[in-house]
Amino acid sequence: MRSICLGNKKRISFAVMIAVVLLLNLLAWSSTAFCDWYIRWIFPIWVNTYGRLTGLFPFSVGEWLIVAGVVLVGAALILGGVFAVSALVSACIRRKLPKPFLRLVKGFYGFLAWVVGIVCLIMTLNCTILYHASTFSTVYFGEDSEAYSEEDLFRVYNMVAEECNRLSMLVERDERGRIVYDCNPGEEAKNMMKKLGETYPQLDGWYPDPKPMFFSDFMCQQYMKGYYFPFSMEANINFVMHPLNRPATMCHELAHLRGYIYEDEANFIAYLACIQSEDLYVRYSGYLSVLVYLNNDVVKVWIQNPELYERTAAKIEPCEILPQVWQDKVFVTEEEWDRINGKAIIDTEIVDKAAETFVETNLKLNGVSDGKISYSRVVKLLLQYYCGEGTGLE
């Protein structure tokens, strides 16, 4: 009788958890006000409690939770196969499966159901709701109805390109021309995010240390610079990539911990955080982080409307980017690629395609209709910041 009561309680608890997940998703998709309230009052609780707890560990807790999840799925597939074969054999010989084996199967898949339910709850609380809140630009800059001109684009592009050119000549280099910077910029990234919080209050508060990932080589194969893990409230960084990517990536991932989940907004926040730093290396990382997006939009004008490009360039000549800047703007050095591909178990092209499909699908499931293209929307935020009402570039 007691086991029956316990079983009923477990089923009721599980049903309640699933109901909460569904209700939260319904509220998230239907009410921006609810999401804004949640991010302001509830989300920081998880960062300041669970995030502080996982922050005590020097390694990425989220990364190993993912590994545990992969092991669990593998075990589920193996046990499922064993059960299917055993059931077929038992049917053929007309014997029942042993009760201990049936209890094992039932217990394992019952546990797996709870794990999946908890994962769905955590993803809803720490990720899904964030996708449906007011955007950073809406909260702090207001609704943006302006149509920015190509001249605006060229001005912002020139400002960023000129800073990249200037900083590329100021940072320390070795005899081969490579950046020399042995510091871990994690503390500076946290300080810059806190400083940015003085202007934008939602960015204020405690930040965990950005953590290097053990499987950074695998991240390189995915062309990923960092991960925000909603399961552990951590900012995780690929420490194999070129060092100039690290400061901006750290700030990007930390921005997610303040409730800004959209990639373009995290890019923009990271840019604002980095360029206020007195550290030349961190500042250079910030400008480099948006250079390609701006450059791509300038090139797009040239491809789609050459005449418009020529008219605009006659007024505002696009800045020529120094070769050194393009050399600094690299994801992974050739030496590292040779090492990574030399020992890779799975071909990088396969890993990259799988990762791109996963990210694209995840973004679209959360309402980001243009998927990974959304990263490039940071250009619109830069234009709004520099060329919107009350601002502007000289």
Side-chain angles (χ1 to χ4, degrees):
M1 178 66 72
R2 183 181 178 184
S3 63
I4 294 175
C5 290
L6 287 174
N8 287 335
K9 287 181 179 179
K10 288 181 180 178
R11 283 191 287 270
I12 292 172
S13 298
F14 183 79
V16 169
M17 180 176 65
I18 297 303
V20 169
V21 170
L22 294 174
L23 177 61
L24 288 173
N25 274 274
L26 178 63
L27 287 170
W29 282 84
S30 60
S31 175
T32 300
F34 165 75
C35 297
D36 290 346
W37 172 85
Y38 174 85
I39 290 175
R40 182 177 181 184
W41 300 107
I42 306 299
F43 185 69
I45 296 175
W46 315 140
V47 178
N48 288 299
T49 54
Y50 185 48
R52 286 181 184 272
L53 177 62
T54 58
L56 296 175
F57 297 90
F59 56 86
S60 170
V61 175
E63 182 177 25
W64 291 103
L65 286 175
I66 295 294
V67 172
V70 171
V71 172
L72 190 61
V73 170
L77 294 173
I78 292 172
L79 184 58
V82 171
F83 176 76
V85 172
S86 300
L88 181 61
V89 172
S90 296
C92 292
I93 64 176
R94 297 184 180 181
R95 286 186 181 179
K96 293 182 178 180
L97 290 172
K99 288 185 178 180
F101 178 64
L102 290 174
R103 284 197 295 269
L104 171 65
V105 173
K106 182 179 179 181
F108 177 84
Y109 285 103
F111 170 74
L112 183 62
W114 271 97
V115 170
V116 172
I118 291 171
V119 166
C120 290
L121 178 61
I122 292 175
M123 285 295 292
T124 299
L125 292 172
N126 296 343
C127 192
T128 304
I129 294 176
L130 310 186
Y131 274 106
H132 303 284
S134 296
T135 62
F136 179 87
S137 57
T138 300
V139 171
Y140 293 111
F141 305 149
E143 293 293 339
D144 184 24
S145 57
E146 291 191 48
Y148 300 104
S149 67
E150 284 69 23
E151 291 183 25
D152 293 327
L153 172 63
F154 280 36
R155 286 193 185 97
V156 175
Y157 165 78
N158 277 357
M159 183 272 295
V160 171
E162 287 166 4
E163 279 299 301
C164 285
N165 287 344
R166 186 179 70 85
L167 291 168
S168 72
M169 295 184 288
L170 296 178
V171 292
E172 185 180 354
R173 300 180 184 276
D174 62 17
E175 64 281 358
R176 297 175 61 184
R178 295 182 300 188
I179 294 288
V180 175
Y181 191 85
D182 298 326
C183 300
N184 181 346
E187 198 61 36
E188 179 69 3
K190 293 195 300 179
N191 290 337
M192 291 304 98
M193 289 295 290
K194 291 175 184 176
K195 184 178 179 181
L196 203 59
E198 297 173 5
T199 305
Y200 308 107
Q202 193 167 311
L203 295 175
D204 191 24
W206 176 83
Y207 286 94
D209 293 323
K211 295 181 180 180
M213 292 189 69
F214 180 80
F215 295 105
S216 285
D217 284 357
F218 188 59
M219 286 186 70
C220 290
Q221 289 187 279
Q222 301 172 60
Y223 289 86
M224 294 297 292
K225 297 178 181 178
Y227 277 120
Y228 154 66
F229 278 134
F231 309 107
S232 57
M233 304 305 290
E234 294 173 305
N236 298 270
I237 307 300
N238 175 348
F239 261 67
V240 173
M241 64 183 175
H242 191 279
L244 272 175
N245 293 308
R246 294 175 191 170
T249 301
M250 288 176 175
C251 293
H252 175 112
E253 302 306 329
L254 291 174
H256 290 323
L257 287 166
R258 294 268 74 83
Y260 293 110
I261 199 68
Y262 284 104
E263 299 298 340
D264 57 322
E265 295 201 311
N267 282 342
F268 178 65
I269 292 168
Y271 168 80
L272 293 182
C274 287
I275 65 171
Q276 68 180 337
S277 175
E278 294 182 2
D279 187 317
L280 293 177
Y281 174 91
V282 174
R283 197 153 71 246
Y284 189 21
S285 176
Y287 283 110
L288 278 178
S289 71
V290 299
L291 178 63
V292 171
Y293 297 117
L294 286 162
N295 184 72
N296 287 346
D297 276 23
V298 170
V299 171
K300 190 184 299 182
V301 175
W302 175 67
I303 293 173
Q304 295 180 349
N305 196 332
E307 292 183 3
L308 176 60
Y309 177 89
E310 292 299 333
R311 288 199 303 271
T312 307
K315 299 177 182 177
I316 306 168
E317 183 178 357
C319 174
E320 183 176 350
I321 299 171
L322 296 176
Q324 181 63 70
V325 173
W326 288 125
Q327 291 175 26
D328 292 338
K329 182 57 184 171
V330 62
F331 175 50
V332 175
T333 63
E334 291 184 9
E335 294 91 339
E336 288 291 356
W337 271 129
D338 290 340
R339 181 186 61 81
I340 292 167
N341 291 322
K343 70 172 190 176
I345 299 174
I346 306 174
D347 185 76
T348 295
E349 186 175 349
I350 296 174
V351 174
D352 178 39
K353 287 182 179 179
E356 185 170 357
T357 300
F358 172 78
V359 172
E360 193 82 10
T361 301
N362 180 61
L363 289 170
K364 290 183 178 181
L365 284 175
N366 282 288
V368 184
S369 59
D370 53 354
K372 288 187 71 174
I373 295 175
S374 63
Y375 285 63
S376 64
R377 288 205 301 261
V378 68
V379 172
K380 180 67 179 293
L381 294 172
L382 289 166
L383 290 172
Q384 185 178 6
Y385 180 72
Y386 285 113
C387 304
E389 185 178 348
T391 62
L393 293 173
E394 296 294 333

